[in-house]
Amino acid sequence: MNKAALPGDLWIASDIHLGAAVPRTSRAFYDFLALARARAQALILCGDIFDAWIGDDHALSEPPAWLNAALDELRRTAQAIPLWLIRGNRDFLMGETLARALGARLIEAPVRLDTDAGPILLAHGDEYCTDDAAYQRFRRVVHTPWIQSVFLALPLVSRRAIANWARNRSRQARHGKSMRIMDVNADAILQALRSSGCDVMIHGHTHRPAVHELNLDGRPARRYVLPDWEFDHAGEPRGGWISISAAQGVQLHPWPAAAAGN
Ligand code: LP5
Ligand code: MN
């Protein structure tokens, strides 16, 4: 179990899915980053920061304008406060080259975080969707080091084509899956809390923001789900983050649509 200490007022966000087609979501997120720089003492971005990530070289050699703006905002944030990155199921190929270029720290999840509100288990969340056997098979394949090395050695145009194909296959596959199997498995969550010694878990991925009260072997426990960010295509704009502090504990905050100039 990966462990880390992060004292002070900590903010956590995930599932922004930055890309070329989400300018309003990007703007809302950059406004959030400005607030985080002013109010938080550290920020963790807990996966699916990007809608897809096909290699650090892609970003750092000739980034398209949208990506250049995103990298600038992340770099600016890392210069102001400690910025930690966790990989998601879309951006699991983010590497140390990117982290160094941003001045950020890439941390392996799940991670037991020792915070001012006590120990918290933090993960993107896709690893707990254990009822989704097809996804877990996919995850094992794309997390295989030699497969990642082969993929990253391909020309960018080939990587982009594979990523687009994988995205389309995923969109199709989701249509055939129930909402239940695309959520985290309750036992997987309890087992993760047991083995980490935490009574609080924070994750993203499911795009189902909520606070769930759990019974962990007779002890109360809580599972916080981070909001996803969508200000371009959703009927009701949505975004949000979690704050962790000694004074207020763990709190889930929506990012007000008004703040995004909507
Ligand atoms: O992502 P989303 O929200 O649509 O659904 C996820 C699960 N799907 C994925 C797949 C990603 O979307 C693919 C994009 C990754 C791009 C970058 C990497 C490119 C390849 C790198 C190779 C090293 O995460 C979805 C879950 C859902 O969350 C809910 O939890 O159900 O899982 C699936 O849909 C998986 C499918 O069931 C089966 C696999 C389809 C894709 C096959 C492509 C294989 C490419 C392998 C190349 C070596
Ligand atoms: Mn995800």
XYZ file of all heavy atoms in Angstrom, residues 2-6 10-12 42-47 49 82-88 91-92 94-96 99 104-115 120-124 127 139:
370
model
N 0.685 2.063 -1.011
C 1.436 3.314 -1.101
C 0.959 4.258 0.015
O -0.224 4.323 0.304
C 1.166 3.949 -2.472
C 2.140 5.076 -2.768
O 3.101 5.262 -2.024
N 1.893 5.815 -3.818
N 1.870 4.951 0.645
C 1.505 5.872 1.722
C 2.161 7.228 1.476
O 3.235 7.296 0.874
C 1.995 5.330 3.080
C 1.282 4.077 3.524
C 1.757 3.630 4.917
C 1.037 2.335 5.339
N 1.489 1.849 6.658
N 1.470 8.287 1.934
C 2.041 9.630 1.808
C 1.393 10.518 2.852
O 0.260 10.273 3.265
C 1.779 10.191 0.416
N 2.129 11.517 3.295
C 1.571 12.477 4.255
C 1.356 13.793 3.514
O 2.213 14.217 2.722
C 2.524 12.670 5.425
N 0.187 14.408 3.727
C -0.088 15.688 3.061
C -0.862 16.564 4.050
O -2.089 16.591 4.042
C -0.876 15.469 1.778
C -0.746 16.529 0.687
C 0.708 16.897 0.427
C -1.394 16.083 -0.595
N -6.065 20.649 1.971
C -5.825 19.876 0.748
C -7.113 19.873 -0.086
O -8.197 19.646 0.444
C -5.455 18.454 1.157
C -5.401 17.382 0.096
C -4.385 17.704 -0.980
C -5.091 16.030 0.755
N -6.985 20.123 -1.382
C -8.120 20.029 -2.297
C -7.867 18.895 -3.286
O -6.689 18.645 -3.644
C -8.312 21.340 -3.070
C -8.889 22.464 -2.255
C -9.001 22.516 -0.901
C -9.423 23.694 -2.752
N -9.541 23.722 -0.509
C -9.837 24.472 -1.629
C -9.601 24.248 -4.032
C -10.404 25.734 -1.758
C -10.172 25.514 -4.163
C -10.566 26.236 -3.032
N -8.952 18.220 -3.659
C -8.850 17.086 -4.589
C -9.932 17.222 -5.662
O -11.086 17.526 -5.358
C -9.036 15.731 -3.860
C -8.052 15.585 -2.699
C -8.833 14.563 -4.847
C -8.221 14.326 -1.865
N -2.361 22.460 -0.975
C -1.906 21.406 -1.898
C -3.128 20.967 -2.700
O -4.277 21.084 -2.237
C -1.314 20.221 -1.133
N -2.877 20.466 -3.916
C -3.958 20.005 -4.788
C -3.583 18.649 -5.373
O -2.440 18.473 -5.844
C -4.184 21.006 -5.938
C -5.186 20.596 -7.020
C -6.610 20.512 -6.443
C -5.149 21.579 -8.199
N -4.525 17.718 -5.296
C -4.348 16.415 -5.950
C -5.372 16.299 -7.077
O -6.568 16.524 -6.870
C -4.544 15.245 -4.971
C -3.543 15.303 -3.819
C -4.395 13.918 -5.719
C -3.679 14.172 -2.810
N -4.905 15.980 -8.284
C -5.812 15.700 -9.413
C -5.846 14.186 -9.561
O -4.844 13.556 -9.905
C -5.322 16.416 -10.664
C -5.317 17.954 -10.533
C -4.787 18.597 -11.809
C -6.702 18.490 -10.194
N -7.022 13.601 -9.297
C -7.144 12.167 -9.019
C -7.637 11.368 -10.238
O -8.554 10.568 -10.159
C -8.088 12.001 -7.832
S -8.069 10.354 -7.110
N -7.000 11.636 -11.399
C -7.274 10.772 -12.555
C -8.259 11.335 -13.554
O -9.152 12.115 -13.221
N -7.708 13.487 -15.707
C -7.467 14.923 -15.914
C -7.662 15.200 -17.407
O -8.255 16.178 -17.817
C -6.035 15.286 -15.484
C -5.791 14.873 -14.029
C -5.738 16.763 -15.703
C -4.321 14.694 -13.674
N 1.937 22.611 -3.913
C 2.253 21.237 -4.324
C 1.106 20.655 -5.140
O -0.063 20.728 -4.717
C 2.419 20.495 -2.996
C 2.803 21.565 -2.017
C 2.068 22.790 -2.454
N 1.428 20.138 -6.335
C 0.418 19.533 -7.219
C 0.774 18.062 -7.396
O 1.874 17.739 -7.870
C 0.406 20.247 -8.575
C -0.498 19.641 -9.656
C -1.966 19.694 -9.231
C -0.301 20.363 -10.999
N -0.153 17.190 -6.994
C 0.057 15.746 -7.129
C -0.900 15.220 -8.197
O -2.067 15.649 -8.256
C -0.192 15.022 -5.801
C 0.833 15.319 -4.745
C 1.739 16.345 -4.740
C 1.058 14.576 -3.544
N 2.498 16.287 -3.603
C 2.107 15.212 -2.843
C 0.482 13.439 -2.973
C 2.593 14.752 -1.625
C 0.964 12.968 -1.766
C 2.006 13.620 -1.094
N -0.426 14.306 -9.019
C -1.242 13.727 -10.085
C -1.416 12.235 -9.838
O -0.447 11.532 -9.497
C -0.550 13.921 -11.439
C -0.117 15.350 -11.808
C 0.620 15.340 -13.151
C -1.292 16.291 -11.824
N -2.633 11.756 -10.031
C -2.933 10.316 -9.982
C -3.466 9.930 -11.363
O -4.204 10.694 -11.996
C -3.966 10.010 -8.874
C -3.292 10.085 -7.503
C -4.624 8.647 -9.060
C -4.222 9.872 -6.324
N -3.075 8.762 -11.847
C -3.504 8.323 -13.171
C -4.939 7.799 -13.139
O -5.348 7.119 -12.175
C -2.576 7.219 -13.669
C -1.099 7.643 -13.814
C -0.284 6.488 -14.323
N 1.119 6.832 -14.545
C 2.103 6.599 -13.646
N 1.821 6.046 -12.477
N 3.347 6.919 -13.927
N -5.684 8.051 -14.215
C -7.035 7.487 -14.351
C -7.051 6.412 -15.428
O -6.001 5.965 -15.914
N -5.954 8.442 -18.668
C -4.614 9.050 -18.697
C -3.610 8.240 -17.878
O -2.713 8.790 -17.251
C -4.651 10.519 -18.243
C -5.384 10.726 -16.919
O -5.600 9.723 -16.198
O -5.744 11.889 -16.624
N -3.747 6.906 -17.953
C -2.841 6.035 -17.183
C -1.421 6.045 -17.767
O -0.497 5.536 -17.153
C -3.381 4.594 -17.129
C -3.625 3.984 -18.470
C -2.608 3.320 -19.161
C -4.860 4.084 -19.084
C -2.833 2.764 -20.404
C -5.096 3.529 -20.327
C -4.079 2.876 -20.989
N 0.220 8.823 -18.322
C 0.974 9.991 -17.840
C 2.237 9.485 -17.143
O 2.171 8.537 -16.356
C 0.148 10.824 -16.852
C -1.019 11.568 -17.423
S -1.662 12.810 -16.257
C -2.245 11.724 -14.911
N 3.373 10.120 -17.452
C 4.628 9.620 -16.894
C 5.421 10.686 -16.165
O 5.010 11.852 -16.058
N 6.603 10.271 -15.706
C 7.476 11.154 -14.930
C 7.962 12.342 -15.766
O 8.202 13.425 -15.246
C 8.675 10.362 -14.394
C 8.323 9.368 -13.300
C 7.683 10.032 -12.063
O 7.915 11.264 -11.859
O 6.933 9.350 -11.343
N 5.333 14.840 -15.395
C 5.318 15.360 -14.011
C 6.461 16.362 -13.804
O 6.253 17.465 -13.298
C 5.419 14.209 -13.016
N 5.141 18.829 -11.044
C 4.141 18.112 -10.233
C 4.724 16.780 -9.784
O 5.805 16.376 -10.213
C 2.866 17.878 -11.051
N 3.998 16.103 -8.882
C 4.435 14.794 -8.394
C 3.400 13.765 -8.818
O 2.208 13.939 -8.556
C 4.568 14.840 -6.867
C 4.981 13.504 -6.257
C 5.163 13.590 -4.749
N 5.376 12.251 -4.176
C 5.374 12.007 -2.864
N 5.179 12.988 -2.000
N 5.547 10.773 -2.396
N 3.823 12.714 -9.460
C 2.949 11.622 -9.885
C 2.927 10.590 -8.763
O 4.000 10.150 -8.317
C 3.525 11.009 -11.166
C 2.648 10.186 -12.087
C 1.381 10.931 -12.473
C 3.416 9.772 -13.336
N 1.750 10.257 -8.240
C 1.726 9.259 -7.165
C 0.903 8.057 -7.572
O -0.116 8.195 -8.254
C 1.214 9.823 -5.819
C -0.111 10.585 -5.965
C 2.240 10.731 -5.205
C -0.674 10.987 -4.589
N 1.410 6.879 -7.171
C 0.725 5.614 -7.462
C -0.487 5.495 -6.542
O -0.397 5.778 -5.345
C 1.666 4.426 -7.207
C 2.781 4.284 -8.237
C 2.236 4.103 -9.648
O 1.239 3.374 -9.837
O 2.813 4.714 -10.559
N -1.598 5.061 -7.084
C -2.815 4.852 -6.281
C -3.188 3.374 -6.354
O -2.729 2.678 -7.276
C -3.947 5.704 -6.842
N -3.902 2.831 -5.368
C -4.432 3.573 -4.217
C -3.322 4.012 -3.265
O -2.296 3.350 -3.161
C -5.373 2.569 -3.550
C -4.901 1.226 -4.004
C -4.311 1.405 -5.364
N -3.570 5.130 -2.639
C -2.585 5.681 -1.712
C -3.276 6.026 -0.397
O -4.370 6.584 -0.393
C -1.874 6.921 -2.306
C -2.834 7.965 -2.800
C -0.877 7.515 -1.320
N -2.649 5.609 0.698
C -3.130 6.011 2.030
C -2.532 7.369 2.341
O -1.323 7.511 2.483
C -2.706 4.984 3.080
C -3.100 5.399 4.504
C -2.468 4.544 5.576
N -2.410 5.249 6.840
C -3.028 4.834 7.943
N -3.724 3.723 7.949
N -2.941 5.530 9.059
N -3.393 8.365 2.408
C -2.944 9.741 2.648
C -3.129 10.077 4.118
O -4.227 9.949 4.654
C -3.823 10.719 1.858
C -3.488 11.110 0.433
C -4.443 12.208 0.001
C -2.036 11.553 0.283
N -2.094 10.478 4.778
C -2.233 10.968 6.149
C -2.436 12.478 6.071
O -1.522 13.216 5.696
C -1.010 10.576 6.974
C -1.023 9.062 7.244
O -2.132 8.505 7.436
O 0.045 8.426 7.184
N -3.678 12.896 6.410
C -4.065 14.302 6.242
C -4.453 14.895 7.602
O -4.558 14.171 8.599
C -5.295 14.418 5.310
O -6.466 14.014 6.058
C -5.152 13.541 4.079
N -6.819 8.797 4.887
C -7.830 8.705 3.812
C -7.258 7.849 2.691
O -6.111 8.045 2.276
C -8.180 10.119 3.283
C -8.917 10.916 4.353
C -9.014 10.035 1.995
C -9.183 12.365 4.000
N -8.067 6.915 2.204
C -7.637 6.089 1.067
C -8.090 6.790 -0.208
O -9.274 7.105 -0.363
C -8.260 4.688 1.155
C -7.828 3.693 0.072
C -6.324 3.458 0.113
C -8.601 2.390 0.204
N -7.149 7.036 -1.101
C -7.434 7.807 -2.330
C -7.078 6.971 -3.553
O -6.018 6.344 -3.615
C -6.610 9.089 -2.302
C -6.796 10.082 -3.451
C -8.224 10.629 -3.452
C -5.791 11.237 -3.339
N -8.019 6.947 -4.507
C -7.766 6.194 -5.753
C -8.621 6.809 -6.857
O -9.586 7.535 -6.574
C -8.140 4.725 -5.572
N -8.295 6.502 -8.126
C -9.169 7.001 -9.189
C -10.528 6.315 -9.080
O -11.569 6.957 -9.236
C -8.554 6.776 -10.572
C -9.465 7.235 -11.664
N -9.862 8.544 -11.814
C -10.075 6.545 -12.670
C -10.669 8.652 -12.860
N -10.838 7.457 -13.383
N -10.311 0.801 -10.467
C -9.812 -0.503 -9.978
C -10.844 -1.207 -9.096
O -10.749 -2.419 -8.882
C -8.495 -0.340 -9.226
C -8.489 0.608 -8.036
C -8.097 2.035 -8.385
O -8.865 2.690 -9.113
O -7.026 2.486 -7.968
N -8.085 -3.491 -18.493
C -7.137 -2.764 -17.621
C -5.843 -3.563 -17.431
O -4.742 -2.975 -17.464
C -7.815 -2.510 -16.277
C -7.072 -1.585 -15.348
C -7.899 -1.308 -14.083
N -7.354 -0.190 -13.367
C -6.407 -0.286 -12.416
N -5.892 -1.475 -12.132
N -5.956 0.780 -11.794
